[in-house]
Amino acid sequence: MQKKRGGHKAEGINKPLRTFRTADLKVEEYREEIARGAAVSTYVILRTDAWVNVVALTTDKHLVLVRQHRYGAGATTTELPAGSVQQQEPESQAAARELREETGFAGDEPELLGYYFPNPALQDNRCSAWLIQNARRTAAPCPDIGEELEVLTVPLRDVLDGTFSDINNGLSLTALFLFQVRRPRVSTG
């Protein structure tokens, strides 16, 4: 199993000065001397689990999306189904689980599109993008507590040609970029 959390120790990093924990996040503050004592830098590292984003396509080539309120942005976003990878869970299973929980859709086995770092200046985790083809509604959505989701499907061609331009989550846009450049040949319908 591939390492899902950054957690690596860079050269010159000492023990954290301060640590703050929540259920999903650990914040560590560090102080580091740079260039043999010439400067001192203070920075933080946010440690969290790996994330998945799912590019789910229906049999009629519609992209499955969710709309939800995001507290950090203070706005409603339109994005791909996504979420955290649970401890000891393979990322492919996390992708299928998040699609099912957030939308009620299921489909073919997830295909890896690629990995990326959400915010490498501050965070130690990575995000993976997955393609699930032949997605279809198999159950009612079962979102996490505190999540209120609206599920929508949009023709893939409208997303790719810019006709539908409501997707405003950077991680979703990165996953769609990976889909564009690394996908198996998928007709846009």
Side-chain angles (χ1 to χ4, degrees):
M1 182 179 287
Q2 293 185 352
K3 190 176 191 179
K4 293 182 188 150
R5 202 181 260 273
H8 59 280
K9 189 171 183 179
E11 278 186 48
I13 294 180
N14 301 317
K15 289 184 177 181
L17 297 171
R18 286 183 277 214
T19 301
F20 174 79
R21 293 177 193 263
T22 70
D24 300 318
L25 183 69
K26 180 178 175 186
V27 181
E28 296 175 346
E29 181 181 33
Y30 292 89
R31 174 178 233 128
E32 180 178 16
E33 287 188 25
I34 301 171
R36 295 182 210 112
V40 175
S41 174
T42 302
Y43 57 92
V44 296
I45 296 176
L46 308 177
R47 300 196 186 279
T48 189
D49 294 325
W51 298 333
V52 294
N53 274 267
V54 183
V55 177
L57 297 177
T58 63
T59 54
D60 61 349
K61 303 304 180 220
H62 280 65
L63 183 64
V64 180
L65 299 168
V66 295
R67 281 199 179 114
Q68 64 181 314
H69 179 76
R70 291 296 192 174
Y71 293 100
T76 298
T77 61
T78 301
E79 57 192 61
L80 297 172
S84 294
V85 178
Q86 297 172 354
Q87 291 296 326
Q88 305 303 315
E89 180 182 34
E91 290 170 311
S92 61
Q93 285 181 10
R97 176 183 51 76
E98 287 293 342
L99 176 63
R100 188 177 55 255
E101 287 176 1
E102 291 191 353
T103 69
F105 279 72
D108 295 348
E109 286 296 312
E111 301 172 50
L112 180 64
L113 294 170
Y115 294 102
Y116 47 101
F117 294 104
N119 184 354
L122 296 175
Q123 293 171 221
D124 74 335
N125 68 324
R126 72 176 186 185
C127 190
S128 54
W130 297 85
L131 172 64
I132 296 180
Q133 297 190 73
N134 298 310
R136 63 211 167 277
R137 173 127 13 204
T138 60
C142 186
D144 291 335
I145 293 172
E147 282 185 322
E148 289 186 32
L149 305 172
E150 174 191 353
V151 179
L152 60 151
T153 60
V154 176
L156 176 61
R157 71 177 168 278
D158 291 354
V159 172
L160 299 181
D161 71 12
T163 303
F164 179 85
S165 60
D166 291 1
I167 300 170
N168 55 354
N169 177 301
L171 299 176
S172 293
L173 293 168
T174 302
L176 288 169
F177 170 78
L178 289 173
F179 171 76
Q180 276 285 84
V181 299
R182 297 183 180 166
R183 69 178 179 204
R185 293 288 171 223
V186 174
S187 157
T188 59

